[in-house]
Amino acid sequence: MKCESVLELIPSYALGALEPSERRRVEQHIETCPDCAEELRVSLTVSSNLSKAFPSAQPSVHLKTALMRQVRDSAEKSARPSFFRPSFRWQGAFTTGFGIAAMALLVLSVFLVNRVETMDDEMAVLRTNLSVSDDTINTLSVAVKQQRSLAYTLAIPGMHVIMGEGSGGKGMLMASEDGSWGLLVSTSLQELPSDRAYQVWLMGSADRESGGMLTVDDTGWGQVTLKPDRTLNAFQSVEVTVEPVEGSPAPTGPMVLQADMVK
Amino acid sequence: MGDYQDLESEALLGLVVIGRAEALEVLYDRYSRPVYSLVLGLLREPAIAEEVTQEVFLRVWMKASSFKSESGKAKTWILSIAHHRAIDRLRQGRNRQKESPLDELLESGWQMGTEAGAIEKTAILQEEGEHIQEGLSQLPEEQRQVLVLGYFRGFTQAEIAKGLNVPLGTVKTRMRLGIQKLRQSLAFMREEDDEV
């Protein structure tokens, strides 16, 4: 189906005014067409606001119980070693254009999610059975939280992953497909003196925007969520500089990490 | 599940893809109210609306891998599923009656003003409903008519063209222009992440 025909159908799709067969044709097309997908996103945002015209109502509490029973039953039926479980559920996505790299990333994300949840259990055992200082427990808790955040972010369908590096070390930028948010992770930046801090910059062709401060621990690990005023896709690169601890209105210190946005 | 509460809905969908039922539970807690409100508003039967709401979340459970973030926020995606499921059910009911419902609706003296008034009555119950009503009322009547018949009544573009006795292309154009104008007037109502 050509873009022209799909664009013509998108407002009707958003309003629910297509036959199911036409609806499926639109859905199939946007799987591989980012321009039409963007048009659909805009139209769906408008139409979803129309739903607020209806009075707010709450379903009965029994509905949630019945739903979750059905969901857990279906999860048990399909239970198998968790590392391999997603392979069949992702089959549809795989046949509609996911590349090998994307599949590898998804498998990695599943591994990470499973791993951090095991770490949670291990932490609970540590906490109850061993005489470990609160500081140690807190340090481990922070590490687990960081790993969890990374694992969950990688598990999101369609995340773009961009590797970055610079004089200070290496990092990774994960950006949502629509560019509305991202997660910047550094893995080997040095800890700074107490009066200095790492600051993230979203660099455009003619301007820049601060992406916030990046706190790095003694292992070199740091992460910050980026929520720019405009889409991340509008920027050319993400850079990290060393600035006074309170942050700067513009970069003044050395650039230690850089990730170029994929165009 | 406590940790999942802090996650963005798009991340929760990622976890649903890998079979985490707890992530779906959090999504249900966030969106069961807007989903049920939409479905009930369209179908007007609480028992059927609950059945459809359950179908919607089962579909989220089974089809989370088809969510694409460039098509909108998680909430927009879930509401779109809910709207489509509800109007499919609405159409099934009509097909069983073997009538030409739009012809009947128009012959019975249905007026846009009446429909807009009915929407207004319900819309003002919502905090943002007033803005929606205002946005709808600013549309030229022919555009408002096709939006209401499509979104709130579940008629297809072909049925609307036949019922109004205008070419299909005209209905498509009116829908496109209507959406564009609503987009401008509702521009301040951004996509929402979560509704707790």
Side-chain angles (χ1 to χ4, degrees), chain A residues 46-63:
Chain A
V46 176
S47 64
S48 72
N49 275 323
L50 291 175
S51 68
K52 293 172 189 158
F54 293 114
S56 181
Q58 183 80 38
S60 71
V61 288
H62 307 297
L63 185 63

Side-chain angles (χ1 to χ4, degrees), chain A residues 14-260:
Chain A
L15 292 168
L18 294 182
E19 295 286 354
S21 58
E22 294 172 308
R23 205 185 288 162
R24 278 192 293 277
R25 277 159 60 203
V26 172
E27 286 164 355
Q28 280 168 5
H29 179 87
I30 62 154
E31 285 280 333
T32 53
C33 180
D35 292 340
C36 290
E38 171 60 15
E39 277 299 313
L40 181 63
R41 186 192 68 75
V42 170
S43 294
L44 280 177
T45 304
V46 176
S47 64
S48 72
N49 275 323
L50 291 175
S51 68
K52 293 172 189 158
F54 293 114
S56 181
Q58 183 80 38
S60 71
V61 288
H62 307 297
L63 185 63
K64 181 178 173 183
T65 312
L67 170 74
M68 293 316 297
R69 192 185 305 125
Q70 214 172 334
V71 163
R72 292 204 162 93
D73 282 353
S74 78
E76 275 172 27
K77 276 180 195 160
S78 60
R80 56 186 71 190
S82 58
F83 188 80
F84 297 103
R85 189 188 310 146
S87 59
F88 75 97
R89 296 198 60 205
W90 283 338
Q91 204 171 5
F94 187 66
T95 54
T96 53
F98 265 79
I100 291 170
M103 279 305 289
L105 191 61
L106 287 169
V107 172
L108 170 67
S109 73
V110 177
F111 174 77
L112 282 169
V113 168
N114 288 330
R115 177 68 191 133
V116 291
E117 295 196 354
T118 308
M119 285 165 80
D120 275 343
D121 296 341
E122 288 167 358
M123 288 280 293
V125 171
L126 270 180
R127 198 171 271 127
T128 51
N129 294 347
L130 298 174
S131 304
V132 182
S133 74
D134 284 349
D135 280 353
T136 307
I137 288 289
N138 287 340
T139 306
L140 285 169
S141 294
V142 169
V144 169
K145 277 182 185 164
Q146 288 169 341
Q147 294 298 317
R148 182 188 295 120
S149 166
L150 176 59
Y152 290 165
T153 304
L154 281 169
I156 300 170
M159 289 297 289
H160 293 298
V161 179
I162 301 150
M163 304 310 291
E165 59 184 332
S167 60
K170 292 190 174 177
M172 180 163 59
L173 172 67
M174 282 152 282
S176 64
E177 245 177 327
D178 65 353
S180 62
W181 67 282
L183 180 71
L184 179 70
V185 175
S186 70
T187 55
S188 52
L189 287 177
Q190 291 194 337
E191 221 178 350
L192 292 171
S194 57
D195 62 334
R196 312 298 288 171
Y198 291 110
Q199 188 165 358
V200 182
W201 302 98
L202 307 172
M203 307 297 284
S205 54
D207 57 350
R208 72 181 82 82
E209 187 179 310
S210 173
M213 308 307 286
L214 175 68
T215 307
V216 173
D217 65 17
D218 56 4
T219 69
W221 181 282
Q223 64 184 58
V224 60
T225 302
L226 306 175
K227 284 196 167 180
D229 293 337
R230 53 200 166 117
T231 169
L232 278 172
N233 302 329
F235 296 97
Q236 294 182 326
S237 65
V238 174
E239 297 181 5
V240 178
T241 59
V242 178
E243 302 295 335
V245 71
E246 65 276 12
S248 300
T252 59
M255 194 260 284
V256 292
L257 192 63
Q258 179 178 24
D260 290 323

Side-chain angles (χ1 to χ4, degrees), chain B residues 106-121:
Chain B
L106 296 169
E107 280 166 17
S108 69
W110 179 80
Q111 294 291 323
M112 273 309 300
T114 318
E115 186 78 14
I119 292 167
E120 183 175 19
K121 263 188 188 169

Side-chain angles (χ1 to χ4, degrees), chain B residues 31-48:
Chain B
Y31 302 130
S32 59
R33 181 182 274 274
V35 164
Y36 179 70
S37 306
L38 168 62
V39 174
L40 180 65
L42 287 163
L43 299 173
R44 301 174 192 189
E45 298 249 8
I48 299 175

Side-chain angles (χ1 to χ4, degrees), chain A residues 12 16 60 70 89-90 114, chain B residues 17 20 50 54 61 91 157:
Chain A
S12 309
S60 71
Q70 214 172 334
R89 296 198 60 205
W90 283 338
N114 288 330
Chain B
V17 171
R20 302 286 173 195
E50 288 212 344
Q54 187 168 356
W61 173 245
R91 290 173 190 168
Q157 55 181 12

Side-chain angles (χ1 to χ4, degrees), chain B residues 71-143:
Chain B
S71 302
K73 293 278 187 188
K75 182 180 180 182
T76 308
W77 182 68
I78 293 171
L79 282 174
S80 171
I81 293 174
H83 187 243
H84 282 137
R85 297 298 278 195
I87 57 172
D88 285 348
R89 189 61 78 93
L90 203 59
R91 290 173 190 168
Q92 279 170 16
R94 278 184 206 138
N95 290 341
R96 273 199 293 274
Q97 290 168 6
K98 292 182 179 173
E99 297 166 351
S100 178
L102 184 53
D103 290 347
E104 260 191 15
L105 184 69
L106 296 169
E107 280 166 17
S108 69
W110 179 80
Q111 294 291 323
M112 273 309 300
T114 318
E115 186 78 14
I119 292 167
E120 183 175 19
K121 263 188 188 169
T122 57
I124 54 173
L125 298 173
Q126 311 288 308
E127 197 178 327
E128 291 170 301
E130 212 173 320
H131 301 301
I132 294 162
Q133 171 58 25
E134 201 182 315
L136 280 171
S137 67
Q138 285 169 4
L139 296 178
E141 178 156 341
E142 57 187 23
Q143 290 169 21

